[in-house]
Amino acid sequence: MLKINNLKVNINDKQILKGINLEVKAGEVHAIMGPNGSGKSTLASALAGREYVSVTDGSIEYLGKDLLDMNPEVRALEGIFLGFQYPVEIPGVSMVNFMRTAINEQRKYKNLEALSAAEFLKLMHEKKSVVGIDSNLTKRSVNEGFSGGEKKKNEIFQMALLEPRLAILDETDSGLDIDALRIVANGVNLLKSPETASIIITHYQRLLDYIVPDFVHVLYKGRIVKSGGKELALELEEKGYEWITEEITAE
Amino acid sequence: MNIEYKLADVTESFVSLFEANRNILLAENNEHLNSIRREAVTSLAKLKIPGKKSENYKYTAIGDLLFEEMNHVFSPKKIEFNIEDIFSCDIPEIDTQAILVLNGFFLNQGEEITKLENGVIIGSLRAAMKSYPDLVYKHFAQYSDYKNDPIAALNTAFAQDGVFLYVPKNVKHEKSIQIIHLLLSEEDQMVQHRNLFILEEGAEANVVICDHSLSIQKFITNSVTEVFADKNSNFNITRVQNEHDKSVQITNSFIQQEQDSTVTSNTISLHGGVIRNNIKVNLNGENCENNSLGLFLADKEQHIDNSIYINHLKPNCTSNQLYKGILDENARGAFAGRIHVWPDAQKTMAYQKNNNILLSDDAKMNSKPQLEIYADDVKCSHGATVGQLDEEALFYMRSRGINERESRLLLMYAFAHEVISEIKLPALRERIDELVEKRLRGELSRCNNCKMNCR
Ligand SMILES: Nc1ncnc2c1ncn2[C@@H]1O[C@H](COP(=O)(O)OP(=O)(O)OP(=O)(O)O)[C@@H](O)[C@H]1O
Ligand SMILES: [Mg+2]
């Protein structure tokens, strides 16, 4: 589904990603861990097509197409979803209007007819119960005045509505209480199918109790320095990153 | 060229224009009006049309704009046209009462002035001067300050007609009154007209003013609207400006509020060549509320300048100013919000906000708050911002599959909505919502409602 090959990325002429290789197949769940500032969000941004993230080398292939050739909205329409580490507030744009526009853009792309206001509200109602998001939140402006946890739940709610093929969740679990954590995990697990995949960026093993990853990768200073199964996450939880960074410097 | 000379010349040319047309302008056999007109000309000659050095007209070179040779028409000209065929500024679902003013003259479609069953009097100001002189002259030219304001003086000297509205004590007039100012001519023309709205104690009314140009000629409009809102009255006035790029429009609203009254004005500037809106509010009794809101959208070489002056004369009044603008291409915008709190006006609450978005590097906005506060127990705030569309928000929307153009539109629309949401009548609010959305999408041309192929 996704093939990242020797990806090098600059931000403001400073190299942040220094040659990432990663393959994600349909049906898989990948977890990416790593210390602060190692480049996890930068990788997510490169996948979503942020302008200030400039790819200097390497390639990304998504469903057989060149992802780097697509602008952000086309990537989304092709099924990529990024759950933001810091979702932005958009005063004046209502959640309903925002999501209805997004859904209908997607339907247009698939040559489907636009949903009417009533049909959309029905769909929204369904998905709301999946995520357990408070009804009042969807009546408000996008993320405006939402608490940290509410913003994260809102990301999952949007994901549930858009039903992406490849979900990239950037620390969606940070700042969540235990119930919200279950909701997030539930959202991801509901989406799981042989045709879909997810990349979960997290600092905590506890999310991975609910979403069991097929692979765990450690990103360090712009490189994936270690990959393994779900037991790697447990090991990191126990020992921290030091033993890996020592391993690298020893080499 | 010597600027001072040129300015004296503009003023001079209007004074001689008055002299040349004295017979028509003073022919009404109405000494009251005639003496006001004569005073206005004298005061115009003394004050002079403001030039570049004028602080008040710093960003809109009114002297230069008025310097141009224009035609003036001092008696209504019959122009044959079928209103339904060419124009519909209709507001569906609102029961409106439409009044047409063509090139400054009330367009007679029946009675020139009507007294409705509930006692409301509505019609031509010129006719009202004849039929209801006492009512008119109790308020006419009382608030427009033509002795200190040269632009108001200019209008007072020349304006002959417009709309008169009188709402008697405790009458709540349900039907919105829609006044459509049309410009339609075969030659370039300067138009000056005048409205007078009187709300007696406890009265309520809604007025919608639409300013439209229907032909491509150059128009310069200088209009004055006087509002008297007596005790406990409630008045909403919404103005939609949609004129073409060659038009120059100066509007002057003078609002006099007495105790416990509420007046809300929304000025929506969709299109125009040069627009200057002056609003002056006197809060002349305790517990008044005034809301002055505006939204302006400009691109190409358009120029929009809003100047608001809230005069807090008495204690316990509240005023809110909210002006928002979106400027693209080479557009120029200006906002001056003045709050004057007199020593007597304790417990004043006066708020002012002006937010602007520049969509291009060449668009420019000047925003200037001016607070003069001479009372100590007051709450005042002001804030002005000039910025761009939020890039983070744009990316967020695009990452959900919404294309860039649509994302930008959603953001602009959200920005504009803060002003639109304050329009009190739901049907009118929806209609203006729609117009603004069309305008932002670039689908509202100046000929939107016009089937004359005047391009
Ligand atoms: N917009 C930006 N401008 C300048 N530097 C940036 C920008 N975004 C990221 N960086 C830098 O790139 C590096 C990687 O940041 P990134 O956000 O990808 O880290 P991360 O692994 O997601 O960290 P965290 O776990 O704290 O979220 C950091 O040194 C950061 O300061
Ligand atoms: Mg991060």
Side-chain angles (χ1 to χ4, degrees):
Chain A
M1 177 180 262
L2 182 75
K3 276 186 205 153
I4 304 176
N5 188 16
N6 190 33
L7 183 73
K8 291 181 185 165
V9 155
N10 280 9
I11 295 178
N12 294 338
D13 294 327
K14 189 179 160 220
Q15 192 172 50
I16 306 293
L17 298 184
K18 299 170 180 165
I20 300 274
N21 293 295
L22 178 67
E23 180 166 2
V24 177
K25 295 203 180 76
E28 292 177 350
V29 175
H30 289 242
I32 296 181
M33 304 181 84
N36 293 132
S38 57
K40 303 181 296 297
S41 294
T42 304
L43 176 60
S45 296
L47 290 170
R50 264 207 122 116
E51 263 132 28
Y52 67 76
V53 168
S54 67
V55 174
T56 54
D57 200 6
S59 65
I60 308 178
E61 192 186 302
Y62 171 69
L63 297 173
K65 293 179 204 157
D66 182 1
L67 189 71
L68 296 175
D69 234 21
M70 303 176 195
N71 63 32
E73 53 268 31
V74 175
R75 296 182 196 203
L77 295 169
E78 287 285 339
I80 290 184
F81 178 90
L82 171 62
F84 285 72
Q85 183 173 2
Y86 305 109
V88 287
E89 302 196 3
I90 315 181
V93 176
S94 72
M95 267 309 290
V96 175
N97 200 7
F98 175 49
M99 271 296 106
R100 189 155 91 104
T101 309
I103 288 275
N104 282 335
E105 289 282 317
Q106 199 183 56
R107 290 180 68 89
K108 193 161 76 189
Y109 195 69
K110 293 179 183 159
N111 282 321
L112 295 171
E113 254 181 60
L115 290 186
S116 70
E119 287 166 329
F120 176 73
L121 287 178
K122 191 164 160 267
L123 176 70
M124 203 159 91
H125 194 75
E126 274 169 40
K127 300 295 180 182
K128 246 183 335 208
S129 55
V130 170
V131 182
I133 191 169
D134 190 332
S135 269
N136 288 324
L137 292 183
T138 57
K139 288 189 189 123
R140 283 161 48 182
S141 291
V142 179
N143 292 324
E144 193 186 26
F146 287 26
S147 75
E150 286 168 343
K151 282 181 184 163
K152 297 301 176 77
K153 272 203 245 177
N154 192 18
E155 296 293 290
I156 296 301
F157 172 61
Q158 292 173 38
M159 182 181 80
L161 273 169
L162 293 167
E163 299 183 331
R165 259 188 287 222
L166 175 64
I168 305 151
L169 299 184
D170 191 357
E171 296 198 27
T172 307
D173 56 332
S174 296
L176 289 186
D177 63 42
I178 197 74
D179 291 337
L181 194 69
R182 267 194 218 111
I183 287 168
V184 167
N186 190 34
V188 176
N189 289 332
L190 277 174
L191 208 67
K192 199 168 159 56
S193 83
E195 283 84 46
T196 61
S198 29
I199 298 173
I200 314 286
I201 297 171
T202 182
H203 285 293
Y204 307 105
Q205 142 69 23
R206 59 173 195 169
L207 177 68
L208 305 177
D209 284 341
Y210 298 101
I211 309 170
V212 183
D214 300 295
F215 300 94
V216 175
H217 310 277
V218 178
L219 193 65
Y220 177 66
K221 289 192 173 165
R223 287 193 180 86
I224 290 179
V225 293
K226 199 164 187 74
S227 297
K230 62 174 192 282
E231 60 297 336
L232 179 56
L234 283 168
E235 208 173 343
L236 290 168
E237 179 96 341
E238 208 177 295
K239 302 201 267 185
Y241 292 110
E242 225 167 79
W243 61 284
I244 297 180
T245 54
E246 273 165 17
E247 239 173 59
I248 297 162
T249 32
E251 269 169 23
Chain B
M1 191 198 290
N2 182 320
I3 291 175
E4 287 310 318
Y5 170 75
K6 188 174 140 182
L7 283 180
D9 213 31
V10 185
T11 307
E12 207 48 53
S13 72
F14 280 111
V15 173
S16 10
L17 183 71
F18 184 85
E19 293 306 329
N21 293 278
R22 221 183 155 80
N23 287 343
I24 311 174
L25 293 167
L26 299 178
E28 297 266 339
N29 199 13
N30 179 339
E31 197 32 51
H32 197 121
L33 177 63
N34 289 351
S35 69
I36 291 175
R37 275 209 207 289
R38 278 192 292 264
E39 275 175 21
V41 180
T42 311
S43 118
L44 174 66
K46 194 180 77 197
L47 298 167
K48 299 203 170 44
I49 303 284
K52 283 205 181 71
K53 285 185 200 149
S54 147
E55 189 56 29
N56 193 16
Y57 282 93
K58 196 169 169 183
Y59 298 111
T60 303
I62 205 131
D64 293 356
L65 291 167
L66 294 176
F67 190 59
E68 217 158 313
E69 193 77 21
M70 298 294 281
N71 293 294
H72 300 262
V73 179
F74 297 118
S75 47
K77 228 184 188 173
K78 264 264 171 276
I79 297 176
E80 285 305 324
F81 69 100
N82 185 346
I83 195 72
E84 245 115 74
D85 276 359
I86 59 161
F87 183 78
S88 61
C89 182
D90 60 324
I91 302 166
E93 289 159 58
I94 291 199
D95 205 6
T96 58
Q97 214 158 328
I99 293 171
L100 300 177
V101 176
L102 177 63
N103 301 335
F105 290 94
F106 185 86
L107 197 64
N108 196 353
Q109 295 170 300
E111 295 291 319
E112 285 220 303
I113 186 130
T114 321
K115 187 167 186 172
L116 306 173
E117 260 172 36
N118 58 6
V120 168
I121 301 169
I122 188 165
S124 145
L125 177 64
R126 200 164 136 100
M129 285 170 170
K130 290 189 196 117
S131 313
Y132 303 96
D134 294 347
L135 217 47
V136 172
Y137 291 113
K138 196 171 160 198
H139 300 285
F140 179 82
Q142 296 299 304
Y143 317 114
S144 64
D145 204 14
Y146 64 91
K147 286 181 184 152
N148 296 301
D149 178 340
I151 303 303
L154 179 64
N155 176 284
T156 308
F158 290 98
Q160 288 177 295
D161 202 2
V163 176
F164 176 75
L165 168 69
Y166 172 80
V167 189
K169 193 170 168 182
N170 293 329
V171 170
K172 301 188 182 2
H173 191 63
E174 301 278 335
K175 244 184 188 180
S176 287
I177 296 150
Q178 188 181 12
I179 299 169
I180 307 168
H181 290 138
L182 297 177
L183 298 171
L184 175 64
S185 169
E186 282 164 0
E187 50 196 13
D188 296 354
Q189 196 175 325
M190 175 153 183
V191 170
Q192 304 203 61
H193 56 85
R194 183 129 184 157
N195 300 323
L196 175 61
F197 306 145
I198 303 167
L199 284 94
E200 295 280 30
E201 196 175 330
E204 283 183 30
N206 293 293
V207 166
V208 184
I209 299 178
C210 303
D211 298 310
H212 284 273
S213 50
L214 291 181
S215 62
I216 51 158
Q217 281 67 26
K218 172 160 187 168
F219 293 102
I220 298 179
T221 307
N222 177 33
S223 68
V224 166
T225 297
E226 288 179 289
V227 175
F228 176 74
D230 207 345
K231 283 179 194 154
N232 208 24
S233 62
N234 193 329
F235 189 51
N236 293 311
I237 180 165
T238 304
R239 182 165 214 139
V240 181
Q241 301 179 303
N242 195 15
E243 294 185 1
H244 62 58
D245 294 355
K246 275 204 282 177
S247 74
V248 174
Q249 190 184 11
I250 309 153
T251 74
N252 307 274
S253 303
F254 298 91
I255 299 169
Q256 181 83 359
Q257 288 188 237
E258 299 299 330
Q259 194 182 319
D260 298 314
S261 63
T262 303
V263 174
T264 298
S265 69
N266 297 70
T267 307
I268 314 290
S269 311
L270 297 174
H271 230 289
V274 175
I275 295 178
R276 163 71 181 233
N277 296 313
N278 295 309
I279 297 183
K280 185 175 178 195
V281 178
N282 280 335
L283 300 174
N284 195 42
E286 288 197 41
N287 290 316
C288 291
E289 178 182 332
N290 177 275
N291 305 299
S292 296
L293 304 112
L295 172 68
F296 49 100
L297 311 171
D299 51 16
K300 290 177 260 179
E301 308 292 325
Q302 291 175 43
H303 176 110
I304 301 190
D305 181 355
N306 283 293
S307 173
I308 317 300
Y309 181 2
I310 312 282
N311 215 0
H312 279 266
L313 298 158
K314 295 282 155 64
N316 289 309
C317 295
T318 304
S319 67
N320 297 296
Q321 298 174 51
L322 173 65
Y323 272 75
K324 298 186 99 171
I326 303 177
L327 305 176
D328 200 358
E329 296 170 311
N330 284 310
R332 294 284 175 272
F335 173 81
R338 189 162 157 203
I339 298 171
H340 189 152
V341 182
W342 291 72
D344 252 7
Q346 297 296 355
K347 304 245 183 286
T348 285
M349 291 198 273
Y351 306 104
Q352 181 190 104
K353 211 167 86 168
N354 170 231
N355 305 123
N356 308 285
I357 288 183
L358 303 183
L359 298 176
S360 78
D361 292 341
D362 297 322
K364 273 202 185 69
M365 178 71 203
N366 283 295
S367 185
K368 187 180 72 174
Q370 217 180 324
L371 307 185
E372 292 165 58
I373 298 169
Y374 303 105
D376 42 33
D377 187 11
V378 299
K379 264 190 204 147
C380 277
S381 73
H382 67 92
T385 60
V386 180
Q388 280 84 41
L389 287 179
D390 182 353
E391 288 295 327
E392 294 284 313
L394 271 179
F395 180 72
Y396 190 78
M397 295 172 122
R398 293 178 73 189
S399 81
R400 299 302 183 242
I402 304 172
N403 67 51
E404 189 174 356
R405 185 182 130 85
E406 203 63 31
S407 299
R408 284 176 164 278
L409 278 168
L410 276 171
L411 286 184
M412 286 193 266
Y413 188 64
F415 176 81
H417 195 73
E418 195 188 351
V419 172
I420 303 169
S421 66
E422 294 293 325
I423 294 171
K424 301 266 156 66
L425 296 173
L428 178 63
R429 188 168 58 234
E430 277 163 36
R431 173 72 178 139
I432 287 177
D433 239 354
E434 217 176 278
L435 281 172
V436 167
E437 192 180 340
K438 265 196 182 164
R439 172 66 173 88
L440 290 173
R441 284 184 184 280
E443 289 165 6
L444 179 82
S445 73
R446 64 183 159 81
C447 297
N448 184 49
N449 289 319
C450 173
K451 291 184 190 120
M452 288 201 338
N453 295 316
C454 54
R455 254 175 224 270

